[in-house]
Amino acid sequence: MSAGQTSSNIPIPNESTSLLHNEQHTHTKRREMVGLLYMTLSALGFSTMSLFVKLSGANFPSFEIVLARGIIQSLLSLVCCWMLGVNPLGRPGTVRLWLFFRGLVGTLGLCLFFYSITKLPLADATVVFFLGPAFTAILASLVLGEPFSLFDGICSISCIIGVVLVSKPQFLFGGGGKQDEDINEWERLFAIFCALLGAVMSAIAYVTVRRIGKGAHFLVHVFYFGAVSTIVSPIGIALSQGFVMPKGVYQYSMLLLVGGCAFVGQCFLNQG
């Protein structure tokens, strides 16, 4: 084989290959930045939703708030699917089972989170529940094989320590602190446990969304979550809490705002 033939078989970097590599790198960074923006907007939507859940909790049991959110989220997603020509049930096949599973674990996490919001100060419940991203990173590493660095581990441990400092259980910090007059210590600890378990459920839901990937439109995710919530929450209402009929514009508005903010947050979450 001649020297000329050898050199022709060896790829020689040039301006075009370098430019292609730079374009790919730029495209990847742009996608990451857009994803971060979507996740930030999602967090804003969910934080606003939590405020309206807390306000609604003065009049309605937690399962009923979940039901209201599920109905509104389902209706809005159906309208958007119709406008965009998207099948709300997704593609036939195993992806529908994954979507149902995502909706189920998301609903369980939501019920637990809403219960904790109605029993705890809003800041405490939100801080505990937002351990979800740390649990998601750990679970994604175990299930999906995504990287989990030492820095990620340090941040996760810091989050857990932060939750302990926020919740301040009496068996660690002693009594005498400022407590909610309407809830005793064990009820408070149970509400914190519900928020933690809800965070784990949300982490499973997020990893499932990642597992499905582009196998389903983001509105399909939103519809399944709302539909499963609408089916599951009446069971909780019937077994444990009972139904309270909304009265007046204010109460209806609170429930509508819970569902609307949840819909916006879910859309940005599944897009991100």
Side-chain angles (χ1 to χ4, degrees), residues 1-256:
M1 184 179 292
S2 65
Q5 291 175 323
T6 303
S7 61
S8 65
N9 293 330
I10 300 176
I12 301 175
N14 52 43
E15 293 182 1
S16 61
T17 57
S18 178
L19 180 61
L20 179 61
H21 178 269
N22 289 336
E23 288 179 350
Q24 292 174 342
H25 179 70
T26 302
H27 178 68
T28 301
K29 295 297 291 183
R30 186 182 296 115
R31 287 185 59 189
E32 290 177 353
M33 292 302 296
V34 171
L36 287 173
L37 176 61
Y38 283 150
M39 297 303 290
T40 301
L41 293 174
S42 171
L44 177 61
F46 288 138
S47 297
T48 307
M49 177 206 71
S50 299
L51 171 62
F52 293 125
V53 170
K54 184 65 175 179
L55 294 173
S56 300
N59 302 297
F60 305 105
S62 56
F63 278 110
E64 187 171 342
I65 303 173
V66 173
L67 175 62
R69 168 184 157 147
I71 293 172
I72 296 167
Q73 184 172 309
S74 299
L75 292 175
L76 290 174
S77 57
L78 279 175
V79 171
C80 291
C81 284
W82 175 74
M83 293 174 63
L84 297 177
V86 175
N87 182 359
L89 297 179
R91 301 178 194 170
T94 56
V95 68
R96 290 183 177 179
L97 294 176
W98 282 110
L99 286 165
F100 177 79
F101 177 74
R102 181 262 184 272
L104 182 60
V105 294
T107 296
L108 295 176
L110 188 68
C111 293
L112 292 165
F113 179 44
F114 279 15
Y115 173 81
S116 69
I117 289 179
T118 60
K119 297 298 182 181
L120 297 171
L122 179 59
D124 289 10
T126 303
V127 166
V128 175
F129 183 76
F130 275 92
L131 269 176
F135 293 151
T136 302
I138 296 171
L139 192 60
S141 175
L142 295 174
V143 176
L144 303 178
E146 294 192 357
F148 187 80
S149 64
L150 177 61
F151 179 74
D152 294 328
I154 294 174
C155 290
S156 298
I157 294 173
S158 299
C159 288
I160 295 173
I161 294 174
V163 167
V164 173
L165 294 176
V166 168
S167 58
K168 293 182 179 179
Q170 286 187 3
F171 63 85
L172 289 179
F173 290 86
K178 183 180 178 181
Q179 298 290 335
D180 192 325
E181 296 178 357
D182 298 327
I183 184 171
N184 62 41
E185 176 64 9
W186 287 110
E187 289 175 331
R188 181 172 175 272
L189 288 176
F190 179 71
I192 291 171
F193 172 76
C194 287
L196 279 171
L197 188 56
V200 173
M201 291 295 181
S202 71
I204 297 173
Y206 296 159
V207 171
T208 305
V209 171
R210 182 71 170 171
R211 166 65 177 77
I212 295 171
K214 295 184 178 180
H217 194 277
F218 74 92
L219 284 172
V220 177
H221 286 277
V222 179
F223 171 72
Y224 268 83
F225 191 3
V228 175
S229 298
T230 304
I231 295 170
V232 172
S233 53
I235 300 174
I237 293 174
L239 293 179
S240 63
Q241 295 181 337
F243 183 81
V244 178
M245 191 67 188
K247 298 178 181 178
V249 176
Y250 174 79
Q251 292 186 6
Y252 277 103
S253 298
M254 289 299 101
L255 294 177
L256 287 171

